[in-house]
Amino acid sequence: MSATALRVAFAGTPEFAAVALDAILAAGHTVPLVLTQPDRPAGRGMKLQASPVKQLAQQHGIAVAQPHSLRLDGKYPDEAAAAREALQAAHADVMVVAAYGLILPQWTLSLPRQGCLNIHGSLLPRWRGAAPIHRAIEAGDAETGITIMQMDAGLDTGDMLLITREAIGADDTTAALHDRLAALGGRCIVQALAQAAAGTLQATPQPAEGVNYAHKIEKAEAAIDWHLPATEIERRVRAFDPFPGTTFTVHTAPGKDKDEVVKLWRASVVPASGQPGEVLRAEGDTLVVACGEQALALHTLQRPGGKRVAAREFLQSCTLPASLA
């Protein structure tokens, strides 16, 4: 191992984390142990599926631990104790954490010689918490980025080690921004590890002002409130792509088929007005719905069990009432 390489334990679960692990390995660091969430049922057959991080670790022959919890006094003390033994045996210089999904107790934070570094998908302290990419788009932020943070016992409260900014485009979805930030996170953590190996990594405390919490996205947030301004609804459409999507209900006439919950995947703001939820135009390839302020042109929609289609195809297959409210 070269003088600039470190022994890096890694904790992460989804694709965002797998991109970072791949970058760490490509940079020549030794990864003796990976922690990731237990396999989960997925797909139509609901078969157990390994996380993207576990799949990558197995491709590289890296030992994997999958405890349900790391709390020694919690519901799974044996799993936590086994994970601690594995981490102790790994003799890691540092642990990198990216979208792991479990709370790290103090014993975990203190065990590696240089502690735990977190790859956080926002410009701290603007968005702490579980869904910083979604919430940045939903709020209409002009930029976001990656913060490499020295983890402490708080929720994303540790000192900042490295910050890199990324513009949010006017048509960015969470899916698109996620992929750019995942790649950026990989580059940033490699840079931070190089500085850590050289002893030049410097910490800056987070400002006390400007703290927001990016709460986890709930399915209940998907339903569109047409009383909101069109700009807010349009941002939410992009923020909730690919999950959970934004939805509206098409109420059918009595005696007809049951109501349908339609997903809206792409829309744009147009200078029109009417009662919130009023269908202002529904012909050809144009579908416009009034909002609390201005109106929304609906471009890409999806009926239950169907695929995403343009407004023209949607209108050919669905008769809309005068109002969606």
Side-chain angles (χ1 to χ4, degrees):
M1 188 169 71
S2 71
T4 58
L6 298 171
R7 290 182 64 82
V8 182
F10 188 87
T13 299
E15 184 62 28
F16 181 91
V19 171
L21 176 58
D22 192 45
I24 291 168
L25 291 167
H29 297 287
T30 298
V31 180
L33 177 68
V34 158
L35 301 178
T36 191
Q37 290 264 5
D39 297 357
R40 307 289 188 194
R44 292 187 176 181
M46 295 302 286
K47 295 181 179 179
L48 288 179
Q49 182 170 317
S51 72
V53 165
K54 179 180 178 180
Q55 293 177 42
L56 180 60
Q58 289 177 328
Q59 291 171 17
H60 288 271
I62 301 171
V64 176
Q66 297 179 269
H68 286 82
S69 170
L70 292 170
R71 289 184 53 186
L72 297 170
D73 60 348
K75 187 177 179 181
Y76 303 94
D78 293 342
E79 292 185 21
R84 182 171 67 171
E85 289 182 13
L87 193 54
Q88 288 172 330
H91 300 293
D93 297 306
V94 64
M95 181 156 78
V96 171
V97 182
Y100 179 29
L102 291 184
I103 295 174
L104 270 59
Q106 189 59 49
W107 72 259
T108 316
L109 300 174
S110 304
L111 191 55
R113 179 171 59 85
Q114 297 194 42
C116 299
L117 308 186
N118 178 245
I119 307 171
H120 187 72
S122 83
L123 301 174
L124 290 170
R126 170 61 175 158
W127 293 111
R128 296 174 179 171
I133 301 175
H134 305 74
R135 298 306 184 190
I137 293 175
E138 183 184 20
D141 291 0
E143 65 175 2
T144 184
I146 291 291
T147 303
I148 304 298
M149 177 190 68
Q150 186 80 51
M151 297 183 70
D152 61 16
L155 177 61
D156 298 331
T157 56
D159 290 348
M160 301 178 294
L161 304 172
L162 190 150
I163 299 173
T164 305
R165 299 176 182 275
E166 174 74 17
I168 299 178
D171 57 356
D172 262 335
T173 63
T174 286
L177 187 56
H178 166 280
D179 290 351
R180 297 208 307 276
L181 288 179
L184 183 60
R187 296 193 296 271
C188 287
I189 194 59
V190 167
Q191 181 181 345
L193 291 174
Q195 293 178 12
T200 60
L201 196 57
Q202 297 191 6
T204 302
Q206 291 188 39
E209 302 79 23
V211 175
N212 294 278
Y213 285 94
H215 297 286
K216 181 181 177 181
I217 305 297
E218 303 290 345
K219 285 187 177 181
E221 298 181 68
I224 294 173
D225 180 357
W226 297 106
H227 291 82
L228 293 174
T231 53
E232 291 188 24
I233 300 174
E234 189 274 336
R235 292 199 304 258
R236 187 168 289 193
V237 169
R238 292 186 289 112
F240 291 2
D241 182 355
F243 175 85
T246 49
T247 64
F248 62 88
T249 300
V250 176
H251 300 289
T252 55
K256 301 293 184 180
D257 294 335
K258 63 180 181 180
D259 294 350
E260 279 192 3
V261 177
V262 176
K263 287 194 173 185
L264 173 61
W265 292 112
R266 192 169 71 86
S268 61
V269 179
V270 293
S273 61
Q275 293 299 311
E278 179 184 354
V279 178
L280 301 177
R281 187 176 177 188
E283 59 183 354
D285 57 1
T286 305
L287 173 54
V288 178
V289 180
C291 304
E293 293 177 10
Q294 299 184 291
L296 212 57
L298 315 188
H299 300 302
T300 305
L301 306 101
Q302 183 178 17
R303 296 181 68 183
K307 61 181 181 179
R308 298 187 187 193
V309 298
R312 174 180 289 275
E313 185 174 342
F314 175 79
L315 290 172
Q316 289 172 347
S317 66
C318 182
T319 301
L320 293 178
S323 176
L324 301 178

